[in-house]
Amino acid sequence: MKKQTISLSLLAATLSLTFATASAEEHGKVTHWGYTGDVSSEHWGELSDKFKLCSTGKNQSPIDIKSNFDVDLPKIKFNYTSKSTDIANNGHTIQVDVASGSNIESDGKTFELKQFHFHTPSENKINGKSFPLEAHFVHRMSHENTYAVVAVMFEEGDENPVLEEIWNQMPKKASEKVSLDKAIDYAKLLPEDQDYYRFNGSFTTPPCTEGVYWHVMKKPLSASKAQIKKFLEVMHHPNNRDIQDIDARIIVE
Ligand SMILES: [Zn+2]
């Protein structure tokens, strides 16, 4: 696709047109979902009324990123300073929770970092390319109840020392959550070059809530073959959702 150049103000207007506010986190009855068999991602939309968007949504994630607009995107301002507190194996991923105090500023909005977690292989693709691992930093703006995700890809290469700290402390069994013995220096899980793709999307897990501001870092970090293998072994199976249609969405870089 031929790239076009648009001004930032037009971009802001265009993005807000396609933007829907994320609904509140779901409460009540817990519906079992997963990545294999009867409850795999192609069935999510049928498992519960609350999961309908997983099959009917028009702004779903992940996507194969092919940017269609080149703009001078402002840098994301990362303020990742608070401590990581605990680490959970929730059966769907390994998740590290973060104490309040860390945030990002993007599009003039501030989102507080809540947690980060991992998918293997990557959920998003970049120009058709899949990566063996993808980290999602999940942020929330409480007064608008909207979410922003920063995604970082990993390619196979040198061992990643920060991942090693996480893998050494991750619970091997599903539904286990433990306090971290050693805090994770998670700010080091961001690439030095922080150019990114920007688009609107959804949670990649049920209820597939839309209105999520996605930021996918262009530059991958490295993880060793053994580290990628270890994560897959703990998860027992890939934990990536299928690629979703882009529909009318705009992707900028
Ligand atoms: Zn995720």
Side-chain angles (χ1 to χ4, degrees):
M1 186 182 294
K2 192 172 178 298
K3 282 181 191 164
Q4 301 173 51
T5 302
I6 55 172
S7 74
L8 268 182
S9 55
L10 175 60
L11 166 69
T14 318
L15 287 177
S16 63
L17 275 178
T18 58
F19 185 81
T21 303
S23 69
E25 282 159 322
E26 304 284 340
H27 293 287
K29 191 174 151 272
V30 176
T31 304
H32 176 64
W33 59 270
Y35 291 99
T36 57
D38 298 350
V39 293
S40 65
S41 60
E42 58 268 43
H43 300 296
W44 289 350
E46 308 148 19
L47 298 175
S48 160
D49 268 0
K50 290 179 181 163
F51 296 176
K52 256 195 236 154
L53 265 183
C54 300
S55 50
T56 62
K58 294 285 178 219
N59 287 285
Q60 291 288 294
S61 290
I63 57 169
D64 183 0
I65 300 164
K66 291 179 172 72
S67 112
N68 41 18
F69 284 98
D70 243 338
V71 294
D72 262 335
L73 276 177
K75 282 209 168 320
I76 305 168
K77 232 170 121 187
F78 287 95
N79 171 32
Y80 280 2
T81 51
S82 66
K83 257 190 134 175
S84 51
T85 54
D86 41 47
I87 183 165
N89 178 341
N90 60 25
H92 304 303
T93 189
I94 295 295
Q95 177 175 315
V96 176
D97 293 329
V98 175
S100 64
S102 286
N103 59 54
I104 57 165
E105 285 171 49
S106 170
D107 280 351
K109 296 174 159 68
T110 302
F111 297 87
E112 193 185 352
L113 178 64
K114 296 297 195 186
Q115 47 100 339
F116 59 94
H117 61 264
F118 300 88
H119 299 270
T120 187
S122 69
E123 296 210 290
N124 293 290
K125 291 181 179 179
I126 299 178
N127 295 314
K129 185 177 155 65
S130 169
F131 294 80
L133 190 69
E134 178 173 348
H136 288 161
F137 292 84
V138 181
H139 311 76
R140 183 166 175 256
M141 182 170 31
S142 53
H143 62 276
E144 285 187 15
N145 193 31
T146 53
Y147 290 83
V149 175
V150 173
V152 179
M153 301 296 186
F154 293 81
E155 61 188 1
E156 193 182 307
D158 293 341
E159 180 178 289
N160 186 302
V162 185
L163 279 188
E164 202 58 17
E165 299 277 0
I166 301 170
W167 279 197
N168 285 339
Q169 299 181 79
M170 67 179 161
K172 306 291 183 291
K173 277 199 209 119
S175 307
E176 274 187 0
K177 185 174 186 169
V178 295
S179 297
L180 285 161
D181 293 331
K182 198 164 177 234
I184 306 297
D185 196 355
Y186 55 87
K188 292 205 176 117
L189 288 179
L190 298 169
E192 266 174 48
D193 177 342
Q194 297 178 343
D195 280 357
Y196 61 100
Y197 297 102
R198 165 82 184 85
F199 49 91
N200 291 332
S202 72
F203 290 150
T204 64
T205 55
C208 305
T209 310
E210 297 190 334
V212 176
Y213 291 86
W214 276 89
H215 311 72
V216 176
M217 292 286 149
K218 290 184 175 184
K219 286 276 152 62
L221 297 180
S222 82
S224 70
K225 193 173 185 173
Q227 288 181 315
I228 295 160
K229 187 166 165 249
K230 186 172 178 183
F231 182 73
L232 181 60
E233 279 169 3
V234 169
M235 289 287 102
H236 301 298
H237 48 71
N239 66 339
N240 66 312
R241 186 187 189 195
D242 301 335
I243 292 289
Q244 305 293 305
D245 289 335
I246 291 174
D247 288 313
R249 272 179 282 181
I250 285 172
I251 303 170
V252 296
E253 65 179 304

